[in-house]
Amino acid sequence: MKEVVETINPLKYFDLSHRNSHGYDSVNMLQCVLLAFALNGYVSLRKLASLCRYDIRFQFIMDGQTPSHMAFHRFIHDDLKMPIEEIFYDLNRYFE
């Protein structure tokens, strides 16, 4: 997932014009949300936060940072331009 997101232009999925300094990299947050969606379908925001604390794949993506469920909420609702499903399908088209 990390290599795919790095090869595309992830900025087309973000609206960072109103972003406060949440302290987390938007590309890393997107990678976490997409990986969780690929592995489990929909996951709760609390589950996302838990994955960043206890799952080594998510720890690697987040460089050891552990965003709270509220950080994921702000990212998904304030920063993403489209629903995560559309981003996921857009990335799947990249593989075709």
Side-chain angles (χ1 to χ4, degrees), residues 63-81:
D63 297 324
Q65 292 183 313
T66 55
S68 69
H69 68 281
M70 287 307 297
F72 279 110
H73 179 270
R74 285 188 299 266
F75 173 72
I76 292 168
H77 293 284
D78 297 342
D79 297 344
L80 291 181
K81 290 181 183 177

Side-chain angles (χ1 to χ4, degrees), residues 3-17:
E3 296 85 14
V4 173
V5 173
E6 289 172 354
T7 60
I8 62 166
N9 179 14
L11 296 178
K12 72 180 183 177
Y13 303 119
F14 306 133
D15 177 14
L16 303 178
S17 61

Side-chain angles (χ1 to χ4, degrees), residues 15-26:
D15 177 14
L16 303 178
S17 61
H18 62 284
R19 184 175 172 90
N20 294 330
S21 178
H22 298 309
Y24 301 106
D25 183 79
S26 297

Side-chain angles (χ1 to χ4, degrees), residues 19-93:
R19 184 175 172 90
N20 294 330
S21 178
H22 298 309
Y24 301 106
D25 183 79
S26 297
V27 174
N28 292 352
M29 295 287 278
L30 178 62
Q31 290 173 15
C32 280
V33 172
L34 288 172
L35 180 58
F37 188 80
L39 294 174
N40 305 308
Y42 291 101
V43 296
S44 71
L45 298 174
R46 291 184 190 274
K47 176 71 174 177
L48 271 171
S50 177
L51 287 168
C52 288
R53 276 192 296 279
Y54 302 113
D55 190 311
I56 193 144
R57 298 169 292 186
F58 291 85
Q59 291 172 355
F60 174 75
I61 289 171
M62 287 305 299
D63 297 324
Q65 292 183 313
T66 55
S68 69
H69 68 281
M70 287 307 297
F72 279 110
H73 179 270
R74 285 188 299 266
F75 173 72
I76 292 168
H77 293 284
D78 297 342
D79 297 344
L80 291 181
K81 290 181 183 177
M82 60 183 76
I84 198 64
E85 301 86 10
E86 290 182 32
I87 296 171
F88 188 76
Y89 294 130
D90 192 40
L91 291 176
N92 280 330
R93 284 192 289 268

